Amino acid sequence: MTNAPRVGVLALQGDVAEHARMLRTCDVEVQPVKTADQLALVDALVIPGGESTTIGMLADREGLLNPLRERIASGMPTLGTCAGLIFLANELIDSRPDQVSIGALDAVVRRNAFGRQVDSFEQDLEIQGLATPFHAVFIRAPLVEKVGQSVEVLATLASDKIVMVRQANVLATAFHPELTGDNRVHQMLCESIFTEK
Ligand code: GLN
């Protein structure tokens, strides 16, 4: 055992292994989170990309929706990427009618916002707080269409398409920071563990 903070990765579906690998480069302990008991062990949480309807359905089946809402509302640093951003939002466009989300992020998020022709693309992004651009990978990505007053926009595409936001302890990206060799977005999450305490 070490005194390193323990960061969970919600491990119901999606690119869990890639996030775990990236977090290990930030000198934290990584804990897969599939149950409420495992959620209780972590200091921070990553909600990975994948398929947001599936993540929502499995979280509901595991009885994780309310525990997640409570931990996030009580300040647990949380990073949602792509499907994770969708799962965090309080209002969805183009979602499935039965789709559940946590509602921890005051934002309107459109699923699959880039359409079929541009299913996936990569772009260097200016992110507020980072000194140099971040190479961002977008895969059937959502877009943040609108944010509430307490949400800070950290990055945009083409100056007006919002792709990274922060609301207090919640960080969210429309792209996949775990798919590059650059751990700076994960570092932002890990650093906020120390400022929360
Ligand atoms: N399009 C997926 C969804 O709606 C998200 C894609 C991703 O996480 N790469 O959940």
Side-chain angles (χ1 to χ4, degrees), residues 66-186:
N66 282 333
L68 283 167
R69 289 181 180 123
E70 282 158 18
R71 283 297 312 271
I72 297 171
S74 68
M76 174 180 66
T78 303
L79 166 66
T81 65
C82 202
L85 157 69
I86 300 168
F87 185 52
L88 282 167
N90 65 0
E91 197 178 328
L92 303 180
I93 301 174
D94 292 344
S95 58
R96 287 213 339 217
D98 57 346
Q99 182 159 0
V100 290
S101 70
I102 302 212
L105 179 67
D106 188 9
V108 181
V109 173
R110 183 183 295 277
R111 289 183 69 205
N112 302 329
F114 295 90
R116 279 173 183 266
Q117 278 89 19
V118 280
D119 240 4
S120 302
F121 59 97
E122 302 185 11
Q123 189 156 325
D124 286 343
L125 270 188
E126 301 281 346
I127 294 180
Q128 214 175 297
L130 298 186
T132 56
F134 189 92
H135 189 71
V137 179
F138 293 83
I139 305 170
R140 292 182 63 73
L143 255 187
V144 179
E145 298 229 326
K146 210 168 146 192
V147 292
Q149 278 194 339
S150 52
V151 179
E152 195 187 343
V153 174
L154 299 185
T156 56
L157 274 180
S159 82
D160 64 344
K161 294 185 161 63
I162 302 170
V163 292
M164 181 168 182
V165 294
R166 185 203 294 275
Q167 180 180 1
N169 52 310
V170 176
L171 261 179
T173 66
F175 52 93
H176 287 265
E178 74 286 6
L179 296 183
T180 57
D182 188 339
N183 70 5
R184 289 179 294 167
V185 170
H186 291 77

Side-chain angles (χ1 to χ4, degrees), residues 29-71:
E29 264 188 60
V30 179
Q31 165 74 54
V33 172
K34 294 181 183 198
T35 64
D37 286 351
Q38 289 168 335
L39 179 65
L41 299 174
V42 303
D43 301 304
L45 182 71
V46 174
I47 304 177
E51 223 298 312
S52 56
T53 49
T54 308
I55 292 173
M57 185 190 72
L58 294 173
D60 190 18
R61 193 181 291 169
E62 281 303 325
L64 267 168
L65 291 174
N66 282 333
L68 283 167
R69 289 181 180 123
E70 282 158 18
R71 283 297 312 271

